[in-house]
Amino acid sequence: MLSIKDLHVALDGKEILKGLSLDVPAGEVHAVMGPNGAGKSTLSYVLTGREGYEPSAGDIEFEGEVINGLSPDERAAKGLFLSFQYPLELPGVPTLTFIRTAVNAQRKARGEEEISAPDFMKAAREAAKTLRMDSEMLKRSLNAGFSGGEKKRMEIFQALLLEPKFLILDETDSGLDIDALRVVAEGVESLRNENRGMLVITHYQRLLDHLSPDRVHVLAGGRIVDSGGPELARELEAAGYDKYLSEAA
Amino acid sequence: MTPLAVKNPTPVEQGYADAFATLEGADQARLDAWANFAAVGLPNRRVEEWKYSDLRSALKDPDAPLSLNAIGFSPAPSDRVLLEGAPALPMPALAASMAGAADVYRLDGDAEPVWIEVNVPEGAAHHRVVDVEIAPGATAMVQETYRVEDGAFLNLAIRYHLGEGATLQRIVRQEDGGEGVAVVTANVTLNTGAKLNQTTLAFGARLARLETHLDHAGENSDAQMDGAYLLTGRRHADITTLVSHCEPDCATRQTVKGVVAQRGNGVFQGRYLVQRAAQGTDARMHHDAILLDDGAQANAKPELLIYADDVQCAHGNTVGALDEDALFYMRSRGLPEAAARALLIEAFVAAAFGNVQNDTAREQMLEAARGWLADPDTGPEAAA
Ligand SMILES: Nc1ncnc2c1ncn2[C@@H]1O[C@H](COP(=O)(O)OP(=O)(O)OP(=O)(O)O)[C@@H](O)[C@H]1O
Ligand SMILES: [Mg+2]
């Protein structure tokens, strides 16, 4: 479904990703772990088409199509969704207005009909229930003054309404308390199906305990340096990244 | 008697001097008004208060015919009276000397909303003095709309006098003025417990200046003075406010937002003068501008002059680009770039309309801002 081939990316002249390759087939959840500064968030921005993060070499294929040259909104319409490590605050932009505008922009780009206001409100109520969100929160400006944990929950709320084909979760677990983590993980889990893929970036076993990934990859030195089953995450939790760092250096 | 001459007059100043010289039977107030204008002439950038808005060089046509019926009032003013005394400031003084009389509204508790709408046609000039008296305890709403076509010049002086406990909602719209010039000078006096709620929306012109002088002349008076300017092309808009706290326990709050595209030029000047007697003053000024293009400019001059010790005064001023991180965030959710920019700008500007009490008026201002954002000819996305 998502296939990354020999990806090279430099930021301000410094190469961050140095030939990264990774495949996530439809229906699978893959975790990416790695030390701070390894390039995990960089990867998430490259995949979603952020300005300044254009690959210098390599391809990103999504559902068989090279998407390197597409804009962020075109990629969103194709079904890519990034849950940001640090979601932005949009003061003055009402949460539900924003999400509905996004849903309809994606639908329009795909040549589909707009969602009606009642259908959207119904979906929003259901998503809020799944994520145990207070309806007061939905009346506010998007993320404005939200706590770190509330913002993460709001990212998944948006995912539930946008129904993307592929989710990239960049440290969605950080900032969430234990109960919130379970609720948010359930929200993510509810999106899981045989047609949908996920790339879960995390530092902790906690989220993976809930999501049980199909594969775990280690990103260090700008490449995927190791891959394995769920047991790899537990090994990393115990042993850290030392062995990869000395290899990469 | 020959009127006082302007020193080294520009052709436009000479034109006014000639017009004034041919007047017959001008009363003393009118003569004084002319003298006050002639002493300084048209303000230019060497005058500190006008350093960002050079009116003298913006006004070029000495033969602009006076257009007397450019103004529409609804309902009609209560009265039209000869001037009582001459304004001190040059532009109101010029308006007074040319108009010779003032249109007067006396608004009491049952007054219906007032509309003042000015359309100065191409190449014409219009000078006007308007006086609005709001009775003690009364609530009034006045909506002013100003439009100047290419080469037109509007110079309007409006005075608001609020009695004890009176409330005024003042809404000022300066419509896109292309190559015209619009100068509107308001003088607002608040007596004890009176409240001003003012919102200004300016789309600019060759030069547009919306100036408000506010006197807190009674205790516990309160003012909210918000505004926004939205500029493209080479339009210029200047929102200048001079607030004088003379009595204790008065409050002033301001939120001014500017969006400037292409080679537009926005100006915000805000001065708070807090006199020694004005203990307990609470005055807060905020101006934020977003520049959308390299050639766009915003000049801000906040000034706090504080002579009382028990006061809370603050000002904040930011000028920057549209938040690229926020734009990427919005686009990553599927909003095309233009839609993301428009939504972000709209949210930014809307903060200047949040205090408009009248829902219809607030929605109209938002609509006007949205219209500007979406306009392919004059909006921010228009080709420079
Ligand atoms: N604009 C930039 N110019 C130069 N270097 C940058 C730029 N942005 C990020 N970097 C560097 O790129 C590297 C990768 O950063 P990235 O945010 O992708 O790391 P990460 O793996 O997500 O780390 P963390 O686990 O802390 O979130 C870091 O060393 C960072 O300092
Ligand atoms: Mg990161």
Side-chain angles (χ1 to χ4, degrees), chain A residues 214-233:
Chain A
D214 299 284
R215 301 281 291 163
V216 175
H217 308 277
V218 179
L219 171 51
R223 286 191 196 91
I224 300 298
V225 291
D226 200 0
S227 298
E231 72 290 345
L232 179 55

Side-chain angles (χ1 to χ4, degrees), chain B residues 9 33 35 42 70-71 93 143 145 151 155 206 226 259 269 292 338 373 383:
Chain B
L42 291 168
I71 196 162
Q143 304 198 53
T145 305
N155 177 30
R206 181 195 294 165
D226 297 344
V259 180
Q269 304 188 103
L292 297 178
L373 282 167

